[in-house]
Amino acid sequence: MIFLDNFDVIVIGAGHAGIEACLAASRMGCKTLLITVNLERIGAMSCNPSIGGIGKGHLVKEIDALGGEMALAIDETGIQFRKLNTKKGPAVRATRAQADRFRYQERMKRILERVPNLYIKQGLVTRLLIKDKKIIGVETKAKEQFGAKTVVIAPGTFLHGLIHIGLEHFPAGRMGDPPSNKLAENLKELGFELGRFKTGTCARLDGRTIDYSKLEIQWGDFPPPLFSFKNKGKRPPLPQVPCFITYTTEKTHKIIKNALDRSPLFTGKIKGRGVRYCPSIEDKVFRFPDKERHQIFIEPEGLDTIEVYPNGISTSLPIDVQWEMIRSIPGLEKAEILRPGYGIEHDYVNPVQIKHSLETKLISGLFFAGQINGTTGYEEAAAQGLIAGINAALYVKEEEPLILDRSQAYIGVLIDDLVTKGTDEPYRMFTSRAEYRLLLREDNADLRLTEIGRKLGLVDDKRWSLYLDKKEKLQKITQFLKETKISPSFINAYLEKIGSTPLKTGIRLYELLRRPEVEIQALVDLIPELKEYSSDILSEVETEIKYSGYIEKQLREVEKFKKLESMKLPEDLNYYEIPGLSNEMREKFSRIRPTSIGQAMRIPGVTPAAISAIQIHLKKHYSSED
């Protein structure tokens, strides 16, 4: 077979997953080709113009710590930054930012065009080229063939994409772009099990036609909490602007209920399962009939555009109903729709067919990332893209893949959930999915993952220097707090002021800070040595001290988890030969092929008896070989 050109890695799709994948592979020294259907839509935010949020912000911080691009991009193009859950525990606090959608997209395109080893082409991939169950290249609609040692597929919603507006529907990957039908059919021909999911987006409004006097204003935080560890202490380069809040009304709900007979969601036109935690407005009104109103965030799409995104009213209702519904909302009575909202169905591949490296089990050298694996959201896609790109590069170099486990990162939780449990609805990251979330905070993502990124060659010297400096400061201040003892006469006035029990004898600062009501920031004025440290460093040390008991408990749980993960299962284990396993258990284990006892225990429906049967079988037939 003669190829137009040969590459180490080919990435299909230039959304958030594809961007991180091609950047990681090229930065790790691989000759990489990015193929996308439309060069002008690289990094497009097809839905809401924001990055981060609960669980999602954690992923962005981890992408950054490993040397990915998303955090740097939103820091440079963000127009509002906020910390969420600030009144809750540190494990669930998260960062969220509004993006200038167009600047974000332009920046990502600019970065890709300047990275060494990365080639970009516009085209529609229609077929994977396979030899002996190993990927060797791809073919486009124009019959171009490119050779590859590895391929990463990151197609977003393009696989058999079908847009719904009312009872009308038409093929599209997203509004204005063609779907990728041939590639979806090719994947099915190759033996992959495909399913169907649905997502959607809101109408875009003309901001000049909104009456902002009727809306609640919502400013971001000051100083703005940037995402990248590289940007600590810096200010965002763009002007910061407010968002606004309004609510649906009884009239809104009546309009929606009266139009359900024209909704593709309720008439059966849409077959795919939607996002449970981010439903359309018609779904919310139907599922929560007693709720008097639903919140809507009016979000600017950018600094140089009149377009506004009304977050909270995603819909696939007919356009005339969208008009009527929107104009029943306070402040939107005269709003003009620039682009209608729509629902979109797309194919995904059941993720139990991939490994923890995101390489497929069926085809060697083929990796999947993003919505093809059943996820939803920019951040979930980018996290997978980064891991797929890293592992594609490691595959080319014939090195062991990078596998992050559940105790190391939310990225590990995300991938393990998909690979082990599969998903029957679009998967979205939440902090509640992580059993070790007190260890997986936003603030310590760099401590957990930067050294891994450095070994991979993705963390540059500047970022590495910042990391080492932070690590040294954390150690230094922790040591100071453990060694420094203060007397009652020095601190009791402050303790009485905040309603804390006065001291009778001296106490070390470390122990004093374990009191919930004592804040390290308040001690800065009393203890000069603390003034040399930034608020971020002080806050992180304080968290480690105040939650030390819980952290130690989770660390003990991680030890047990690691022990189960270290009990590896042979790749060629025949589960049908294991006595005591039911046919259901044999089928599950054979299909998912867990790599360890720990993973086997996390498969839904697996019983303790089944695990015991496997362990007995291993002891009898494999222990002598070990």
Side-chain angles (χ1 to χ4, degrees), residues 201-473:
T201 189
C202 304
R204 270 60 162 189
L205 308 180
D206 184 338
R208 299 169 301 181
T209 62
I210 295 172
D211 185 353
Y212 289 99
S213 68
K214 294 183 178 180
L215 310 182
E216 299 173 26
I217 192 167
Q218 183 188 59
W219 285 95
D221 295 342
F222 188 83
L226 300 185
F227 275 94
S228 178
F229 293 99
K230 209 171 182 178
N231 291 329
K232 285 297 180 185
K234 294 183 180 180
R235 296 282 186 267
L238 295 181
Q240 300 298 286
V241 299
C243 294
F244 296 84
I245 299 172
T246 186
Y247 299 87
T248 58
T249 63
E250 185 180 341
K251 183 180 179 182
T252 312
H253 297 185
K254 187 176 180 180
I255 291 166
I256 292 169
K257 288 175 183 176
N258 289 340
L260 292 181
D261 61 335
R262 299 172 62 201
S263 163
L265 194 62
F266 288 90
T267 55
K269 293 287 184 182
I270 291 178
K271 309 293 184 185
R273 181 81 178 267
V275 187
R276 189 199 323 177
Y277 301 101
C278 189
S280 64
I281 186 62
E282 55 265 39
D283 203 17
K284 285 192 275 192
V285 168
F286 179 79
R287 284 166 53 188
F288 308 106
D290 298 329
K291 196 170 177 63
E292 294 181 358
R293 64 179 190 172
H294 294 278
Q295 194 172 52
I296 303 166
F297 293 92
I298 304 299
E299 303 172 347
E301 296 249 305
L303 297 175
D304 303 319
T305 179
I306 61 170
E307 286 193 64
V308 168
Y309 187 87
N311 195 342
I313 50 171
S314 170
T315 185
S316 55
L317 287 166
I319 293 180
D320 62 303
V321 179
Q322 292 188 38
W323 278 94
E324 190 180 3
M325 171 189 73
I326 285 169
R327 290 188 167 185
S328 70
I329 296 167
L332 309 184
E333 293 90 349
K334 296 181 180 179
E336 293 285 342
I337 294 177
L338 297 176
R339 313 180 198 219
Y342 62 86
I344 182 167
E345 284 186 284
H346 63 91
D347 287 350
Y348 76 100
V349 175
N350 190 328
V352 299
Q353 298 167 95
I354 56 175
K355 304 174 185 178
H356 281 88
S357 63
L358 298 184
E359 183 185 12
T360 68
K361 296 174 181 176
L362 280 176
I363 309 294
S364 179
L366 177 63
F367 295 79
F368 291 161
Q371 284 175 283
I372 190 173
N373 290 334
T375 61
T376 180
Y378 307 148
E379 303 82 1
E380 290 87 346
Q384 293 172 73
L386 178 62
I387 297 301
I390 288 170
N391 284 328
L394 292 174
Y395 180 97
V396 170
K397 297 178 180 185
E398 298 183 351
E399 296 178 18
E400 287 297 308
L402 171 65
I403 309 294
L404 297 176
D405 69 41
R406 303 181 70 88
S407 69
Q408 286 178 289
Y410 272 88
I411 296 175
V413 174
L414 164 67
I415 294 173
D416 184 64
D417 279 351
L418 293 172
V419 172
T420 305
K421 303 173 184 176
T423 184
D424 59 2
E425 64 182 9
Y427 182 101
R428 181 179 180 181
M429 180 49 71
F430 294 103
T431 52
S432 58
R433 295 190 189 273
E435 52 271 71
Y436 312 116
R437 56 184 172 274
L438 195 52
L439 303 177
L440 307 181
R441 307 186 308 274
E442 270 198 0
D443 65 354
N444 69 3
D446 54 342
L447 298 179
R448 292 185 277 116
L449 301 172
T450 301
E451 292 183 22
I452 295 173
R454 180 69 173 180
K455 288 176 183 176
L456 292 166
L458 295 176
V459 170
D460 61 25
D461 291 342
K462 181 181 178 182
R463 187 188 291 261
W464 182 242
S465 177
L466 289 169
Y467 165 75
L468 293 177
D469 181 63
K470 174 184 174 179
K471 195 173 179 182
E472 182 184 350
K473 285 178 178 176

